[in-house]
Amino acid sequence: MLMKELANLLNIAIEKIKNTNTVIQVVSHLDADGVSAAAIISSVLYQLKKDFQVTFVKMIKPEIADTINEREPKLTIFTDVGSGYIDVLKKIKSDIIILDHHEVEGTPSDNMIHINPLDFDLELSGAGITYLLAKEALKNNTLAPIAVVGTIGDVSYSADLKIFENPFIEIERGLNLFGRYTRPLYKSLEYSGIPGINSSSKALQFMSEIGIETQKNGDWVTLSDLDNDEKKRLTDAIIREGLKSKSFKADSLFSNNLTLKSFQEELRDPKEFATILNACANMNEPATGLALCLGSEKALKEARGVLRGYRRLIGNYMRWVESNPDSIKKTEKADYLIADDNINENLIGTIVSMLFKPKEKTLFGFANAEDGIKISVRSKSFDVQKVVTEAAKICNGRGGGHEFAAGATIPLEEKDKFIEKCESMIK
Ligand code: C5P
Ligand code: ZN
């Protein structure tokens, strides 16, 4: 029944799109999921021969209503953003379609078609719910690979990918090593968590002992370069090596690896693709990410450059945190990383995600932003979306997100009060 209601809602939105013959405004979230969602809706609009303009936003600010109203559209579509900011969107004069999976705040008005998988007990990303509309509108599933990338790239990712089944997506049980296409195999092995091969030299020696070349034609060999026989030899040897350690769990070394057959090179691995999209979004180059999703080969070269810059920046920030342990204030329930101007507001979420240890305390990160303080939170112990949204409201700011990953922006002078409010709510 629920699915039927969802299908009805999607079809109402599709009719609205089909009946709009002026430029449609698309506003999407500036992150990997949002870029994927934007690519999916762009493809739909293009195939339905609609004119459209895409804007990316890190978060919904009150000014968005004026910006959209100045463009005088008849229809605005929000993807992967909007559900948490319904009151702000009410100031937009056009009809609105919201395809989002963030926690809902407020009641949609009559000019809004609000479609959120949480209302249907479905766990889907922003790209995922946008894909359901695409599938219904185009009556085919060709955009599923992009939905998979967005889902894997999203901060709230835990969703089942079954819903995206598609002949262009191959699933194979295999070694769970990151960087199948781009990382030298010895590096992937070094980071695989097996004590016997946990350094470059040990990993290189391990490969040569089992007769797998480390380089071919001057390039480092990656996991994707191996033939089936080599993959089998490698797997057997890894298990043998792993069993020497008491804590070894063979299961954790294997996963269902997806291959996107309609994409080239490293984009065939949705994890690597999602990493690239994340870099494009956080480095404020969403157009490059969008072009990648839509199949531009030229964009890949650009995206690789963006990724290199992104990694360099992250490396610098991680080193800064390491050498400034006093920047983390600790309480009984949470840690608060106060980065001030030392970490860019667009990257504080990534840094908090990287530092966060799910079995330990909730982690908050604070970075100075253009208009206040950007806060990012990751947790596994309580609903941070509720806490952060409430605390931000009390402190004249705004927040939102998901149960275990949320964020907010508050005025500069409200930092201590915000922490105090969070602490008392957590208790
Ligand atoms: O920016 P960060 O990755 O920390 O955001 C975590 C989650 O919180 C994201 O889903 C983001 O959309 C949401 N968020 C929000 N409002 C903000 C900041 C973040 O809804 N002001
Ligand atoms: Zn999302």
Side-chain angles (χ1 to χ4, degrees), residues 29 59 85 102 155 349 374-378 398-402 405-409:
H29 196 201
M59 62 171 291
Y85 296 81
H102 289 88
V155 278
K374 165 72 205 298
I375 301 162
S376 282
V377 196
R378 304 291 182 265
R398 282 301 297 250
H402 309 282
T409 301

Side-chain angles (χ1 to χ4, degrees), residues 129 296 320:
I129 187 68
S296 155
W320 179 83

Side-chain angles (χ1 to χ4, degrees), residues 29 31 33-34 80 100-102 125-127 150 154-156 402:
H29 196 201
D31 71 359
D33 189 23
D80 191 38
D100 189 15
H101 68 138
H102 289 88
S125 62
D154 195 68
V155 278
S156 69
H402 309 282

